[in-house]
């Protein structure tokens, strides 16, 4: 009798497991009957400096909700076929006190990933992000940023890293409480606060304040490839002198 109940319970467990696998949704399934806006979530990914996780960064606009992370099995699949992506849950962490966010991802293999969120009744997707944490680990470089700090509109410039396929540079200026003051993108290896002549994308809300002398600030730099992998990361603490 005991053996009969053991076999019955085992069969039920196997049946439930199979059912769970059968109802697993792909990204394509989740988009059914929804209005979808592609390439409308700013996102990229980088190695972590001190552990084996990968950070998938993104900019959550103020109306973003139902934030999800999707990934493929590997990097050889068609990145543009949403049937190849399934949702996986990873910790979601604030960056710059929530101005940006990131998923902390454990990835044994390189793959493609997409960040999605809902906004005003529409589903918005990032471009596919190619994780390269094995073959092209992010460079964490110091001493590559120079700054002219004799004005409250300091000019920053920097050197390229060893990877030559960086397509765009993301710059963040933040205060000593880790609040983002400005967030900008340039194709060039320089940025002057807060001049927008060479800025090609801007996530700064409103007009940021003039930087005050004696206050400690940080300049954070990411060099990003066309497939949204962070080739280099650097940070400089500074105080304007004027």
């Amino acid at each position: 009798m005991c053996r009969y109940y053991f076999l019955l319970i085992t069969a039920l467990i196997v049946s439930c497991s199979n059912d769970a696998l059968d109802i697993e949704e792909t990204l394509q399934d989740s988009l059914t009957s929804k209005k979808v806006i592609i390439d409308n979530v700013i996102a990229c990914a980088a190695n972590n400096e001190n552990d084996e996780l990968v950070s998938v960064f993104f900019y959550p606009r103020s109306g973003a909700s139902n934030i999800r992370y999707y990934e493929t099995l590997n990097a050889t699949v068609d990145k543009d076929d949403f049937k190849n992506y399934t949702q996986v849950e990873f910790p979601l962490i604030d960056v710059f006190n929530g101005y940006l966010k990131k998923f902390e991802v454990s990835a044994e293999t390189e793959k493609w990933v997409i960040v999605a969120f809902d906004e005003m009744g529409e589903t918005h997707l990032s471009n596919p992000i190619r994780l390269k944490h094995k073959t092209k680990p992010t460079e964490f470089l110091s001493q590559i940023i120079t700054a002219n700090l004799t004005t409250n509109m300091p000019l920053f410039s920097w050197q390229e890293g060893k990877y030559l396929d960086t397509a765009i540079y993301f710059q963040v200026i933040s205060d000593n409480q880790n609040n983002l003051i400005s967030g900008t993108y340039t194709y060039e290896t320089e940025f002057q606060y807060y001049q927008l002549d060479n800025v090609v994308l801007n996530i700064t809300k409103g007009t940021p304040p003039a930087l005050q002398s004696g206050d400690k600030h940080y300049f954070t730099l990411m060099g990003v490839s066309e497939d949204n992998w962070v080739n280099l990361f650097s940070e400089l603490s500074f105080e304007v002198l004027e």
Side-chain angles (χ1 to χ4, degrees), residues 80-92:
D80 296 317
D81 187 346
F82 295 156
K83 293 193 297 294
N84 291 325
Y85 293 83
T86 54
Q87 184 177 356
V88 183
E89 292 188 359
F90 286 110
L92 186 58

Side-chain angles (χ1 to χ4, degrees), residues 178-201:
N178 203 34
N179 297 306
L180 185 146
I181 299 173
S182 74
T184 51
Y185 288 80
T186 67
Y187 293 136
E188 302 172 15
T189 56
E190 67 175 29
F191 168 71
Q192 184 170 12
Y193 181 86
Y194 179 66
Q195 298 293 306
L196 304 180
D197 297 346
N198 67 338
V199 170
V200 295
L201 183 62

Side-chain angles (χ1 to χ4, degrees), residues 10 12 17 43 60 77 103 110 115 150 175 190 218 227 234:
T10 302
L12 288 172
S17 299
V77 301
F103 288 101
E110 295 190 348
V115 176
T150 59
D175 64 20
E190 67 175 29
Y218 295 89
D227 49 13
S234 189

Side-chain angles (χ1 to χ4, degrees), residues 4 33 44 72 99 132-133 175 198 206 218 231 237-238 242:
Y4 170 80
S33 302
C44 63
T72 64
Y99 202 107
K132 300 178 183 176
H133 54 298
D175 64 20
N198 67 338
Y218 295 89
N231 285 335
S237 63
F238 70 93
E242 185 176 281

Side-chain angles (χ1 to χ4, degrees), residues 132-163:
K132 300 178 183 176
H133 54 298
K134 303 289 188 180
T135 58
K136 212 171 194 180
T138 303
E139 287 188 279
F140 289 85
L141 302 178
S142 59
Q143 310 300 323
I144 68 164
I145 302 170
T146 59
N148 178 356
L149 302 175
T150 59
T151 170
N152 61 7
M153 300 173 68
L155 173 65
F156 301 91
S157 58
W158 52 89
Q159 304 168 16
E160 294 183 352
K162 66 181 179 181
Y163 303 127

Side-chain angles (χ1 to χ4, degrees), residues 27 30-31 36-42 68 70 82 114-117 123-127:
L27 175 56
S30 73
L31 301 178
V36 181
I37 312 297
I38 63 173
D39 187 21
N40 201 34
V41 175
I42 299 171
R68 289 101 64 204
Y70 295 87
F82 295 156
I114 286 177
V115 176
F117 58 65
T123 295
H124 300 259
L125 306 179
S126 71
N127 270 340

